[in-house]
mmCIF file of all heavy atoms in Angstrom:
data_model
loop_
_atom_site.group_PDB
_atom_site.id
_atom_site.type_symbol
_atom_site.label_atom_id
_atom_site.label_comp_id
_atom_site.label_asym_id
_atom_site.label_seq_id
_atom_site.Cartn_x
_atom_site.Cartn_y
_atom_site.Cartn_z
ATOM 1 N N LEU F 1483 -15.665 0.425 9.026
ATOM 2 C CA LEU F 1483 -16.546 -0.728 9.230
ATOM 3 C C LEU F 1483 -17.825 -0.305 9.953
ATOM 4 O O LEU F 1483 -18.936 -0.666 9.534
ATOM 5 C CB LEU F 1483 -15.807 -1.798 10.041
ATOM 6 C CG LEU F 1483 -16.615 -3.034 10.426
ATOM 7 C CD1 LEU F 1483 -16.828 -3.924 9.215
ATOM 8 C CD2 LEU F 1483 -15.901 -3.790 11.530
ATOM 9 N N GLU F 1484 -17.682 0.454 11.019
ATOM 10 C CA GLU F 1484 -18.844 0.875 11.801
ATOM 11 C C GLU F 1484 -19.748 1.808 11.008
ATOM 12 O O GLU F 1484 -20.973 1.732 11.116
ATOM 13 C CB GLU F 1484 -18.382 1.507 13.110
ATOM 14 C CG GLU F 1484 -17.778 0.471 14.046
ATOM 15 C CD GLU F 1484 -17.155 1.046 15.307
ATOM 16 O OE1 GLU F 1484 -16.945 2.286 15.377
ATOM 17 O OE2 GLU F 1484 -16.875 0.253 16.223
ATOM 18 N N GLU F 1485 -19.147 2.655 10.187
ATOM 19 C CA GLU F 1485 -19.952 3.538 9.340
ATOM 20 C C GLU F 1485 -20.752 2.714 8.332
ATOM 21 O O GLU F 1485 -21.941 2.953 8.123
ATOM 22 C CB GLU F 1485 -19.043 4.526 8.615
ATOM 23 C CG GLU F 1485 -19.802 5.520 7.761
ATOM 24 C CD GLU F 1485 -18.883 6.515 7.072
ATOM 25 O OE1 GLU F 1485 -17.816 6.831 7.619
ATOM 26 O OE2 GLU F 1485 -19.263 6.960 5.976
ATOM 27 N N GLU F 1486 -20.115 1.725 7.732
ATOM 28 C CA GLU F 1486 -20.794 0.882 6.741
ATOM 29 C C GLU F 1486 -21.883 0.010 7.375
ATOM 30 O O GLU F 1486 -22.931 -0.209 6.783
ATOM 31 C CB GLU F 1486 -19.774 0.002 6.011
ATOM 32 C CG GLU F 1486 -18.843 0.770 5.103
ATOM 33 C CD GLU F 1486 -19.555 1.402 3.914
ATOM 34 O OE1 GLU F 1486 -20.455 0.760 3.330
ATOM 35 O OE2 GLU F 1486 -19.198 2.539 3.576
ATOM 36 N N LEU F 1487 -21.605 -0.500 8.580
ATOM 37 C CA LEU F 1487 -22.581 -1.367 9.248
ATOM 38 C C LEU F 1487 -23.688 -0.576 9.943
ATOM 39 O O LEU F 1487 -24.733 -1.126 10.282
ATOM 40 C CB LEU F 1487 -21.880 -2.275 10.269
ATOM 41 C CG LEU F 1487 -20.959 -3.342 9.680
ATOM 42 C CD1 LEU F 1487 -20.230 -4.080 10.800
ATOM 43 C CD2 LEU F 1487 -21.746 -4.317 8.816
ATOM 44 N N GLY F 1488 -23.435 0.690 10.202
ATOM 45 C CA GLY F 1488 -24.441 1.526 10.845
ATOM 46 C C GLY F 1488 -24.485 1.387 12.363
ATOM 47 O O GLY F 1488 -25.533 1.618 12.972
ATOM 48 N N GLY F 1489 -23.391 1.005 12.980
ATOM 49 C CA GLY F 1489 -23.344 0.894 14.434
ATOM 50 C C GLY F 1489 -21.998 0.404 14.892
ATOM 51 O O GLY F 1489 -21.135 0.055 14.080
ATOM 52 N N PRO F 1490 -21.797 0.361 16.215
ATOM 53 C CA PRO F 1490 -20.506 -0.092 16.738
ATOM 54 C C PRO F 1490 -20.241 -1.554 16.406
ATOM 55 O O PRO F 1490 -21.160 -2.376 16.360
ATOM 56 C CB PRO F 1490 -20.619 0.116 18.246
ATOM 57 C CG PRO F 1490 -22.046 0.386 18.528
ATOM 58 C CD PRO F 1490 -22.723 0.749 17.250
ATOM 59 N N LYS F 1491 -18.975 -1.874 16.183
ATOM 60 C CA LYS F 1491 -18.613 -3.244 15.783
ATOM 61 C C LYS F 1491 -19.048 -4.269 16.811
ATOM 62 O O LYS F 1491 -19.391 -5.401 16.471
ATOM 63 C CB LYS F 1491 -17.119 -3.344 15.480
ATOM 64 C CG LYS F 1491 -16.191 -3.137 16.651
ATOM 65 C CD LYS F 1491 -14.739 -3.176 16.208
ATOM 66 C CE LYS F 1491 -13.767 -3.011 17.328
ATOM 67 N NZ LYS F 1491 -13.875 -1.816 18.117
ATOM 68 N N GLU F 1492 -19.070 -3.889 18.093
ATOM 69 C CA GLU F 1492 -19.485 -4.816 19.160
ATOM 70 C C GLU F 1492 -20.950 -5.238 19.016
ATOM 71 O O GLU F 1492 -21.355 -6.275 19.530
ATOM 72 C CB GLU F 1492 -19.264 -4.169 20.538
ATOM 73 C CG GLU F 1492 -17.810 -3.898 20.870
ATOM 74 C CD GLU F 1492 -17.247 -2.632 20.231
ATOM 75 O OE1 GLU F 1492 -18.015 -1.818 19.673
ATOM 76 O OE2 GLU F 1492 -16.013 -2.473 20.270
ATOM 77 N N GLU F 1493 -21.704 -4.460 18.286
ATOM 78 C CA GLU F 1493 -23.109 -4.776 18.038
ATOM 79 C C GLU F 1493 -23.242 -5.952 17.064
ATOM 80 O O GLU F 1493 -24.230 -6.673 17.083
ATOM 81 C CB GLU F 1493 -23.791 -3.530 17.466
ATOM 82 C CG GLU F 1493 -25.297 -3.547 17.459
ATOM 83 C CD GLU F 1493 -25.826 -2.207 16.963
ATOM 84 O OE1 GLU F 1493 -25.507 -1.168 17.572
ATOM 85 O OE2 GLU F 1493 -26.561 -2.228 15.957
ATOM 86 N N PHE F 1494 -22.235 -6.165 16.239
ATOM 87 C CA PHE F 1494 -22.287 -7.171 15.185
ATOM 88 C C PHE F 1494 -21.352 -8.358 15.416
ATOM 89 O O PHE F 1494 -21.611 -9.452 14.938
ATOM 90 C CB PHE F 1494 -21.950 -6.531 13.830
ATOM 91 C CG PHE F 1494 -22.850 -5.385 13.483
ATOM 92 C CD1 PHE F 1494 -22.489 -4.075 13.795
ATOM 93 C CD2 PHE F 1494 -24.084 -5.613 12.889
ATOM 94 C CE1 PHE F 1494 -23.330 -3.019 13.494
ATOM 95 C CE2 PHE F 1494 -24.931 -4.569 12.581
ATOM 96 C CZ PHE F 1494 -24.559 -3.256 12.886
ATOM 97 N N PHE F 1495 -20.253 -8.115 16.137
ATOM 98 C CA PHE F 1495 -19.239 -9.147 16.331
ATOM 99 C C PHE F 1495 -19.035 -9.439 17.814
ATOM 100 O O PHE F 1495 -18.905 -8.514 18.613
ATOM 101 C CB PHE F 1495 -17.896 -8.717 15.717
ATOM 102 C CG PHE F 1495 -17.982 -8.408 14.252
ATOM 103 C CD1 PHE F 1495 -18.045 -7.102 13.798
ATOM 104 C CD2 PHE F 1495 -18.006 -9.435 13.319
ATOM 105 C CE1 PHE F 1495 -18.126 -6.810 12.449
ATOM 106 C CE2 PHE F 1495 -18.080 -9.165 11.972
ATOM 107 C CZ PHE F 1495 -18.147 -7.851 11.529
ATOM 108 N N SER F 1496 -18.972 -10.725 18.158
ATOM 109 C CA SER F 1496 -18.667 -11.085 19.543
ATOM 110 C C SER F 1496 -17.167 -10.982 19.796
ATOM 111 O O SER F 1496 -16.734 -10.759 20.928
ATOM 112 C CB SER F 1496 -19.180 -12.496 19.866
ATOM 113 O OG SER F 1496 -18.575 -13.443 19.010
ATOM 114 N N GLU F 1497 -16.379 -11.130 18.739
ATOM 115 C CA GLU F 1497 -14.934 -10.937 18.837
ATOM 116 C C GLU F 1497 -14.384 -10.544 17.478
ATOM 117 O O GLU F 1497 -14.931 -10.912 16.440
ATOM 118 C CB GLU F 1497 -14.232 -12.186 19.376
ATOM 119 C CG GLU F 1497 -14.465 -13.445 18.545
ATOM 120 C CD GLU F 1497 -13.874 -14.686 19.183
ATOM 121 O OE1 GLU F 1497 -14.524 -15.245 20.079
ATOM 122 O OE2 GLU F 1497 -12.768 -15.070 18.758
ATOM 123 N N ILE F 1498 -13.304 -9.764 17.531
ATOM 124 C CA ILE F 1498 -12.618 -9.341 16.318
ATOM 125 C C ILE F 1498 -11.166 -9.045 16.694
ATOM 126 O O ILE F 1498 -10.913 -8.459 17.747
ATOM 127 C CB ILE F 1498 -13.301 -8.116 15.655
ATOM 128 C CG1 ILE F 1498 -12.688 -7.799 14.292
ATOM 129 C CG2 ILE F 1498 -13.322 -6.922 16.569
ATOM 130 C CD1 ILE F 1498 -13.506 -6.842 13.449
#
Side-chain angles (χ1 to χ4, degrees):
L1483 176 74
E1484 290 174 347
E1485 183 179 330
E1486 291 294 320
L1487 292 175
K1491 66 183 181 302
E1492 295 80 11
E1493 194 176 302
F1494 303 94
F1495 302 101
S1496 60
E1497 58 186 81
I1498 188 166

